[in-house]
Amino acid sequence: MGRYNFEQIIDRTNTDSLKYDFAIERGKDKDVMPLWVADMDFATAPEITDALVKRAQHGIFGYTYPKEEYQKTVLNWMKTRHNYEAKPEWLVYTPGVVFAISMALRAVTKEGDAVMIQNPVYYPFTNTVLENGRRLINNSLHYEIKDHRGVYTIDFDKFEDLIIENSVKAFILCNPHNPVGRVWTKDELQRIGDICLKHNVVIIADEIHEDFIYGEKKHIPIASISKEVENITITCTSPSKTFNLAGLQLSNIIIANPEIRKIFKKVMGKTGFDEPNIFGIIACQTAYTQGENWLEELKVYLWENINFVKDFIDTKLPKVVLTIPEGTYLVWLDFNEYGLELKDLENRIQKKAKLWLDEGIIFGKEGIGFERINIAAPRKTVEEAMNRIYEAFSDL
Ligand SMILES: Cc1ncc(COP(=O)(O)O)c(C=O)c1O
């Protein structure tokens, strides 16, 4: 074992945890094992907790705002970890990435404008587009099964055709792509960038999972592809997924284009949101200066969890088609070979296995027959979940 203990099972019940304390409210049985929403069952890096405790002991929690040091820290993280050089004045702080996407949509599109996404994708994209009165255009990812593994790619001809036919004004990129785990390559990002530049489409890049990349893959911020692409991109980042800080609500949005940035800030001003949360500021700064060792160990642990799931499926659930994630800690499982009605599949997962996963269909019709499982938990938890799935499908 390394320096940090990811095997420890921490009781998260009765902590107002969305994952653990809201099963009934969300229509699930009280005793389901939750592996749905994307937060982790690990304690954050101890350096972060120490810094938060120290700040809490000060006892005064008045208005706060990030200083130059904070900006430097965020930019340094982007530069050293993701080879992307941004400027301090490009940073805008929001209480979340979904909030930022909503602001971005209001900044760069009008009501009735078309906005493109690629299902199956993180479902709040759809809601945010529709709730803002924009038209949703979906360029479904191309899915095929090769050697019993799921493979997702972008249909670039369709990508461009849909943009032209619908006069698309903005495209929401998910990189790495939740739930299918693709880490888009330089070539793919270049093609996205070229098409968006050609047709004046603004790229809203949700790169919240940027720090969870496995093996030889590398996260490439789309804004780092070229100055031209950077100029049409709003990059949404946050330490919230990486260091398990979602409840602290702080995201760092990078907007190089001064016009877009100005409108984004203006639109955000209308919501009344101004100063970020003090604990978010402290946590982010500590994470990005002292959290790297923890993160590196965590990634090894997560990759072992992914491999555990892979081996389990290969030996005990041969009808499940796994898409091996290149990034994120979310694993996308295809149950379609069982040929079950959707209701039967859900019944087996929720009632027989007593698991609360994210049903594939919420990511779009492309997700029918799939389940997304969050493997950012101690191995014993993941093992228990996989055994429950095995039992629930053992009669088939
Ligand atoms: C792709 C993606 N974007 C955004 C979020 C949520 O971000 P926030 O809580 O900052 O709104 C998630 C959380 O699961 C996510 O997977």
Side-chain angles (χ1 to χ4, degrees), residues 45 84 114 151 161 166 176 222 250 278 317 343 354 385 395:
Y84 177 48
V151 179
D161 289 347
N166 299 285
I222 193 164
L250 180 53
I278 176 59
L317 290 165
K343 253 195 170 151
K354 290 262 171 210
D395 59 317

Side-chain angles (χ1 to χ4, degrees), residues 37-38 95-99 101 122 125 174 176 178 206 208-209 238 240-241 246 251 330 372:
V37 71
V97 162
V98 175
F99 180 94
I101 292 171
Y122 180 57
F125 286 8
C174 196
N178 166 11
D206 179 340
I208 197 167
H209 292 277
S238 173
S240 60
K241 293 276 167 259
S251 307
L330 307 162
R372 191 194 77 174

Side-chain angles (χ1 to χ4, degrees), residues 164-316:
I164 297 169
E165 280 163 26
N166 299 285
S167 293
V168 166
K169 296 286 185 285
F171 165 60
I172 312 178
L173 170 72
C174 196
N175 185 31
H177 191 109
N178 166 11
V180 310
R182 274 302 314 276
V183 172
W184 302 112
T185 63
K186 189 164 184 192
D187 179 55
E188 287 167 321
L189 295 169
Q190 184 76 61
R191 292 177 77 178
I192 291 172
D194 288 347
I195 297 170
C196 288
L197 275 169
K198 189 168 153 197
H199 301 288
N200 292 317
V201 176
V202 175
I203 302 170
I204 303 169
D206 179 340
E207 302 190 354
I208 197 167
H209 292 277
E210 66 188 3
D211 295 307
F212 297 113
I213 313 288
Y214 307 110
E216 299 295 299
K217 297 283 163 185
K218 256 197 90 44
H219 169 70
I220 303 169
I222 193 164
S224 70
I225 287 285
S226 68
K227 284 286 150 203
E228 291 75 23
V229 173
E230 180 178 69
N231 199 42
I232 57 161
T233 299
I234 296 172
T235 305
C236 305
T237 76
S238 173
S240 60
K241 293 276 167 259
T242 313
F243 292 94
N244 213 17
L245 306 169
L248 299 184
Q249 301 213 299
L250 180 53
S251 307
N252 301 303
I253 314 304
I254 304 169
I255 313 173
N257 182 314
E259 285 306 309
I260 297 179
R261 192 168 63 245
K262 193 171 153 197
I263 309 169
F264 185 100
K265 283 184 168 174
K266 193 168 170 206
V267 166
M268 197 165 79
K270 288 187 190 175
T271 69
F273 176 78
D274 198 355
E275 303 92 8
N277 179 305
I278 176 59
F279 290 108
I281 299 172
I282 304 264
C284 178
Q285 205 157 341
T286 313
Y288 285 173
T289 47
Q290 299 173 48
E292 270 186 295
N293 291 338
W294 180 88
L295 174 60
E296 288 311 317
E297 265 190 44
L298 169 70
K299 276 169 55 184
V300 171
Y301 193 85
L302 292 173
W303 184 240
E304 286 169 5
N305 272 0
I306 291 168
N307 275 307
F308 172 82
V309 170
K310 173 165 100 34
D311 293 344
F312 191 102
I313 286 173
D314 289 349
T315 52
K316 295 180 105 172

Side-chain angles (χ1 to χ4, degrees), residues 33-35 149 302 304-323 325 329-335 338 348-349 352-357 371-394:
M33 184 179 189
L35 294 152
R149 297 276 186 242
L302 292 173
E304 286 169 5
N305 272 0
I306 291 168
N307 275 307
F308 172 82
V309 170
K310 173 165 100 34
D311 293 344
F312 191 102
I313 286 173
D314 289 349
T315 52
K316 295 180 105 172
L317 290 165
K319 282 191 180 168
V320 173
V321 177
L322 169 72
T323 299
Y329 50 70
L330 307 162
V331 180
W332 187 234
L333 305 174
D334 181 352
F335 286 82
Y338 287 102
R348 282 170 189 271
I349 296 289
K352 278 183 95 176
K354 290 262 171 210
L355 289 175
W356 183 1
L357 309 181
E371 298 283 341
R372 191 194 77 174
I373 184 166
N374 175 347
I375 56 85
R379 184 93 16 93
K380 274 199 163 40
T381 306
V382 176
E383 215 177 309
E384 165 81 24
M386 294 312 295
N387 277 321
R388 288 185 188 201
I389 295 177
Y390 174 69
E391 290 296 327
F393 290 78
S394 59

